[in-house]
Structure formats: C-alpha cells, structure tokens
Amino acid sequence: MKTEPELRKKIKTWVIVFIIGLVLSGVTAFPIETELAWLANHASVFPGFMQNWLTNVYLAVKTTNQNYPYLAYGTDWLAFGHLVIAMAFVGPLKDPVKNIWIIEFGMIACVMVFPLAFIAGPIRGIPVYWRFIDCCFGIFGIIPLYIVYRDIKKLEKMINQNIAPLH
C-alpha cells in the first residue's frame, strides 16, 4: 500500500499527463492547415483510403482558409476550449479530494466523445474509421482520469482514517 505522499505524487503525475494531453490537442488546432499540409505530403505512409481522406481534408481546409478565413476562427475557439478545460484540472493538483468532481467531469466528457462521433460523424460525412480515431481521445483520456479517480478515493479513505474521533 502506498503512503499518502506517494499517492498524492501519483495523482499529480497523472493529472499533469492529462493536462499536457489537453494542451497539446488544443494548440494543434491553431496551425491546422500547416499540419494537414504536412500530413498530405506524407500521406504515402498511410493506407490508401486514408491518403485520399487526408488529402481531401487538407484541400478543403486550404480552400476554405483562402476564401473564408474567418471560418478558421471556429478551430481557434476549439483550441481555446481545450486550454480552458486544461486549466480546470489545476484544481485536483491543489486539492484532489475536494476537486474530485473535476475528474468526474472529465470522465463524463470522455464518454461523451462516443455519441458525438457516431451521431455528428455521419451527418458531417466523416468516415467510420476516422470516427474511431476520434474516439481514441475518449479512451486515452478516461484511462488516466480513472486511475486518478481511483487513487483520490484511496487518498480520501486514508485521510478519513487518520482523523482522530472527537471523544
């Protein structure tokens, strides 16, 4: 069994990993055209069906940015949203037991990726294999959050056991 300081360190480590993931997935939304250009130029490493998709998406973003640059503002807000959500996870770094609700919120958000991908995906013409790739965000997000949630519950129990009764 881990000591309280060891458990706190493990919780902080996993929360930081999650924050870094949110920040990285957010900031990559800003240079989306540049990233897609790179992927389109290196599409040969992907299976044929993905090569066509990546090239098509790049051309759509490039054409849209040339003709309607203000639409890219939507992905700027997407990036901003990731950064703001990442800031919320500072709460569990400071006081994990008190702020466990933020971890629960994150886990719910990870689960919500699936209905969004499989409801909005077909409406927007997103291929099914790409929807599965999008679902990876929910899977890879919920794993560290579940570990943190479980460890916060252990920490809470440990803290409650260390409190002497008032007799």
Side-chain angles (χ1 to χ4, degrees), residues 36 54-68:
L36 285 168
L54 290 170
T55 301
N56 193 32
V57 171
Y58 165 65
L59 292 174
V61 169
K62 181 180 178 183
T63 302
T64 302
N65 285 347
Q66 286 172 345
N67 296 308
Y68 312 100

Side-chain angles (χ1 to χ4, degrees), residues 58-140:
Y58 165 65
L59 292 174
V61 169
K62 181 180 178 183
T63 302
T64 302
N65 285 347
Q66 286 172 345
N67 296 308
Y68 312 100
Y70 46 86
L71 287 179
Y73 195 48
T75 54
D76 295 341
W77 279 106
L78 170 70
F80 176 75
H82 277 79
L83 299 175
V84 169
I85 293 167
M87 286 176 41
F89 284 86
V90 171
L93 288 177
K94 292 182 175 187
D95 187 341
V97 174
K98 180 180 174 184
N99 292 301
I100 194 171
W101 69 271
I102 295 170
I103 303 301
E104 294 167 339
F105 162 81
M107 291 170 66
I108 292 167
C110 287
V111 170
M112 290 172 57
V113 166
F114 293 88
L116 177 67
F118 288 99
I119 294 169
I123 293 169
R124 301 291 185 206
I126 307 301
V128 70
Y129 63 86
W130 200 265
R131 287 180 250 157
F132 282 114
I133 291 170
D134 288 338
C135 289
C136 288
F137 284 98
I139 294 167
F140 293 130

Side-chain angles (χ1 to χ4, degrees), residues 11 16 25 30 42 45 50 54-55 69 84 92 101 108 111 122 131 133 143 149 151:
I11 290 167
I16 289 169
S25 65
F30 287 117
H42 296 87
V45 300
M50 285 184 74
L54 290 170
T55 301
V84 169
W101 69 271
I108 292 167
V111 170
R131 287 180 250 157
I133 291 170
I143 291 170
Y149 178 82
D151 287 345

